[in-house]
Amino acid sequence: MPELSEALQKILAIILDMDGVIYLGKKPIKGAAKAVAYLRRSGKKMIFLTNNSENTRRSYVEKLARMGIPVTEDEIVTSGQMAADYIKSRNPKARVFTVGGEGLTSEMKLAGLKLVPPEKATHLVVGMDRNINYEKLTAGMHAIMAGAEFIATNVNNVYPTEKGLTPGAGAIVGALVGSTKKRPEIVVGKPSPLIIRFGLRILGTKPSETAIIGDRIDVDIKVGKRVGLTTILVLSGISKKGDLKKILGTKMAPDFVIDSLSEVMD
Amino acid sequence: MPELSEALQKILAIILDMDGVIYLGKKPIKGAAKAVAYLRRSGKKMIFLTNNSENTRRSYVEKLARMGIPVTEDEIVTSGQMAADYIKSRNPKARVFTVGGEGLTSEMKLAGLKLVPPEKATHLVVGMDRNINYEKLTAGMHAIMAGAEFIATNVNNVYPTEKGLTPGAGAIVGALVGSTKKRPEIVVGKPSPLIIRFGLRILGTKPSETAIIGDRIDVDIKVGKRVGLTTILVLSGISKKGDLKKILGTKMAPDFVIDSLSEVMD
């Protein structure tokens, strides 16, 4: 694919999705570590950006290290971190309640935001949570009923794992929509441009100098198009060739399609 | 309230909602047992009809007995039973998967329906489940992805308990909508007329001879209007005086409003 290598030469920075691009669950995708090393040697700036908010940035550093991909915490961006930035920039005295994993509360604390019981929250942040239960849903519902701003880290319907698809954060958000009849007031993760602009500030590059590599047409490619990035779809995660057929020739079509990340290597 | 007692004289049968009418969680509503006994003495036929599918009909007989209300299993109607009847009447060889409580699987078995793993299901029935977790949501998602008909027992957003509101079956349904982007193909519980017509068949009465007593404008009164029953709203559950103000004078207004069931006594 000579076109892609040409395009990459003009690219200064890359926003890399992780689930479905670098790994599926705990299983690394073949050639991903080599490809990341290659991009680094080519002088590309990189951030590893995920809609998943369950885990801390530190845990992503450790997970990638286990897969032979050395990164620093500054190179990780999560939708939980984005939610914390969104809240803090609007109201530093916000009182936050979360329905999500450890990574989500951790990001709130790192941002210096105060965590409170649901009835006292000014902001409710909802993210992926594989330990979801009725008590957590009840608490989230009470936060919304008490008037908290309903913030979704993302509304991805599914989540790719080594064992197949499982429900994404959209399921947790959907449960709260179903119990409150209120929709999230904002979605901070992809395909919201918010998280990509946040990433570009970290990278210090312009959209025209930046590419996004992701596995979802409706999330990664969509947001790349929205912000004006070069868009590269990998077929190693959620979106498949069949999905691609439906959008080829439309404005939703990615600039490049590759089977897996290893194809970025010349 | 002489008007109500006059209207009740012409009524042969009553469809009684339970949550918010007879009890809140484990706590009986004051005067409810006496009111039911009074209605029995007045010669009214009665069924106790609930959108909740978590529990078996037998367990409702026991619960009401503990509250001093003797009823037979034939007088109980649940949305789980309705779902089983709906499926069986359309496809006696249906293969069913449920996301819900014990009462839901119990009704499927009682109807002679076969329970199967999610991937093999022709029908998915979703109901209230206070033990909901990620594994159950994943299984429900897989059933829908494998093509099962998505049946909701109900989509009530909230559920009244003695400790306040908690999420209703609408939360569980919402989680599956969020993870599949598909909506239920049918809702069998209130405000669907299906379950009321099912109740009328048991009672053997016409809509004009039958009253519904419930605590929810958007569920009980709505379905009563749809089917042509006399509608009686109690203010001991979900709907409050403030909700009533918004609909007075509209076609959604109940025929009668009482604070609690005890007011049916002359």
Side-chain angles (χ1 to χ4, degrees):
Chain A
M1 200 177 265
E3 271 189 77
L4 173 59
S5 62
E6 257 174 56
L8 279 177
Q9 280 174 19
K10 294 169 194 161
I11 289 295
L12 302 182
I14 297 176
I15 297 174
L16 272 160
D17 180 27
M18 294 192 275
D19 283 296
V21 176
I22 296 177
Y23 49 73
L24 285 167
K26 285 173 186 161
K27 199 179 158 195
I29 288 170
K30 207 183 159 193
K34 274 191 182 170
V36 170
Y38 168 85
L39 292 170
R40 283 222 194 268
R41 280 198 310 274
S42 316
K44 310 299 180 205
K45 288 188 184 181
M46 271 183 280
I47 54 171
F48 300 81
L49 185 148
T50 179
N51 261 2
N52 197 333
S53 62
E54 266 191 312
N55 307 304
T56 60
R57 275 177 276 167
R58 165 99 335 244
S59 75
Y60 282 111
V61 170
E62 289 161 7
K63 179 169 185 172
L64 291 176
R66 281 194 299 273
M67 296 179 177
I69 303 175
V71 301
T72 64
E73 229 170 293
D74 295 345
E75 290 175 309
I76 306 282
V77 174
T78 73
S79 61
Q81 178 188 6
M82 182 64 236
D85 183 81
Y86 171 84
I87 295 169
K88 195 165 186 191
S89 66
R90 274 152 192 82
N91 180 359
K93 290 182 180 171
R95 299 186 306 274
V96 182
F97 184 74
T98 64
V99 175
E102 190 206 335
L104 197 53
T105 49
S106 156
E107 287 297 345
M108 300 302 137
K109 285 180 200 160
L110 281 172
L113 289 165
K114 197 176 176 189
L115 292 166
V116 296
E119 291 77 7
K120 293 187 176 171
T122 56
H123 295 73
L124 169 72
V125 189
V126 180
M128 175 70 167
D129 188 353
R130 271 170 281 207
N131 295 309
I132 192 65
N133 60 34
Y134 193 72
E135 288 63 40
K136 289 183 184 184
L137 291 177
T138 302
M141 180 187 107
H142 286 164
I144 296 170
M145 286 172 65
E149 184 177 347
F150 180 5
I151 299 165
T153 57
N154 72 83
V155 291
N156 289 9
N157 56 330
V158 290
Y159 182 75
T161 76
E162 66 272 48
K163 289 174 191 163
L165 298 179
T166 62
I172 319 293
V173 171
L176 289 168
V177 171
S179 63
T180 62
K181 297 184 179 174
K182 292 196 175 157
R183 303 199 69 78
E185 290 163 72
I186 187 153
V187 177
V188 298
K190 299 174 283 183
S192 164
L194 267 181
I195 195 167
I196 300 298
R197 292 202 195 103
F198 184 80
L200 289 172
R201 283 202 302 276
I202 294 172
L203 287 165
T205 55
K206 295 174 195 162
S208 59
E209 300 165 337
T210 312
I212 185 167
I213 305 181
D215 70 324
R216 300 187 63 144
I217 295 165
D218 60 335
V219 176
D220 304 300
I221 304 307
K222 191 176 197 175
V223 76
K225 298 270 170 184
R226 282 179 172 179
V227 179
L229 311 177
T230 297
T231 52
I232 303 169
L233 179 72
V234 295
L235 296 174
S236 52
I238 300 271
S239 293
K240 300 294 174 193
K241 271 191 180 143
D243 307 312
L244 200 57
K245 270 185 195 164
K246 297 172 204 158
I247 55 149
L248 280 182
T250 75
K251 62 169 189 167
M252 277 299 290
D255 297 314
F256 300 97
V257 181
I258 53 184
D259 282 333
S260 72
L261 190 62
S262 61
E263 289 184 28
V264 298
M265 291 186 281
D266 211 359
Chain B
M1 200 178 267
E3 271 189 78
L4 174 58
S5 62
E6 256 174 58
L8 279 178
Q9 280 175 16
K10 295 169 195 161
I11 288 296
L12 302 182
I14 298 176
I15 297 174
L16 272 159
D17 180 29
M18 294 191 275
D19 282 296
V21 176
I22 295 177
Y23 49 73
L24 285 167
K26 286 175 186 159
K27 199 178 158 195
I29 289 170
K30 206 182 160 195
K34 274 191 184 170
V36 170
Y38 168 85
L39 291 170
R40 282 221 195 269
R41 279 199 310 274
S42 317
K44 309 300 180 204
K45 288 188 183 182
M46 273 184 276
I47 54 170
F48 301 81
L49 186 150
T50 178
N51 262 1
N52 198 333
S53 62
E54 266 191 312
N55 307 305
T56 61
R57 276 177 275 165
R58 164 103 330 248
S59 76
Y60 282 111
V61 169
E62 289 161 6
K63 181 170 184 173
L64 291 177
R66 281 195 298 274
M67 295 179 178
I69 303 175
V71 300
T72 65
E73 229 170 294
D74 294 344
E75 291 175 309
I76 306 282
V77 174
T78 75
S79 62
Q81 179 188 4
M82 182 63 236
D85 182 81
Y86 171 84
I87 295 170
K88 196 164 185 192
S89 67
R90 276 154 190 80
N91 180 359
K93 290 182 180 170
R95 299 185 305 274
V96 182
F97 184 74
T98 64
V99 174
E102 191 208 334
L104 197 52
T105 50
S106 157
E107 288 296 345
M108 300 303 137
K109 285 180 200 162
L110 280 172
L113 290 164
K114 197 176 177 188
L115 293 166
V116 296
E119 291 78 7
K120 295 188 175 170
T122 55
H123 295 74
L124 169 72
V125 189
V126 181
M128 175 72 168
D129 188 353
R130 272 170 280 208
N131 295 309
I132 192 67
N133 60 35
Y134 192 72
E135 288 64 38
K136 290 184 184 184
L137 291 177
T138 302
M141 182 187 105
H142 286 164
I144 295 170
M145 286 171 66
E149 183 178 346
F150 181 4
I151 299 165
T153 57
N154 72 83
V155 291
N156 290 8
N157 57 330
V158 290
Y159 182 76
T161 75
E162 66 270 51
K163 288 173 190 162
L165 296 179
T166 62
I172 319 294
V173 171
L176 289 168
V177 172
S179 64
T180 62
K181 297 185 179 173
K182 293 196 175 156
R183 305 199 67 79
E185 290 163 71
I186 186 152
V187 178
V188 298
K190 300 174 283 183
S192 163
L194 267 182
I195 195 168
I196 299 299
R197 291 202 197 103
F198 185 80
L200 289 172
R201 282 203 301 278
I202 295 172
L203 288 165
T205 56
K206 296 175 193 161
S208 59
E209 299 165 336
T210 312
I212 185 168
I213 306 182
D215 70 323
R216 300 186 65 145
I217 294 166
D218 60 335
V219 176
D220 304 300
I221 303 307
K222 192 177 197 174
V223 76
K225 298 269 170 185
R226 283 178 172 180
V227 179
L229 312 177
T230 297
T231 53
I232 304 170
L233 180 72
V234 295
L235 296 174
S236 52
I238 300 272
S239 293
K240 300 295 176 193
K241 273 194 178 137
D243 307 310
L244 199 58
K245 269 186 195 163
K246 297 172 203 157
I247 55 150
L248 279 182
T250 75
K251 63 170 187 163
M252 278 297 290
D255 297 314
F256 299 97
V257 180
I258 53 183
D259 282 334
S260 74
L261 191 61
S262 62
E263 289 184 29
V264 298
M265 292 185 280
D266 210 2

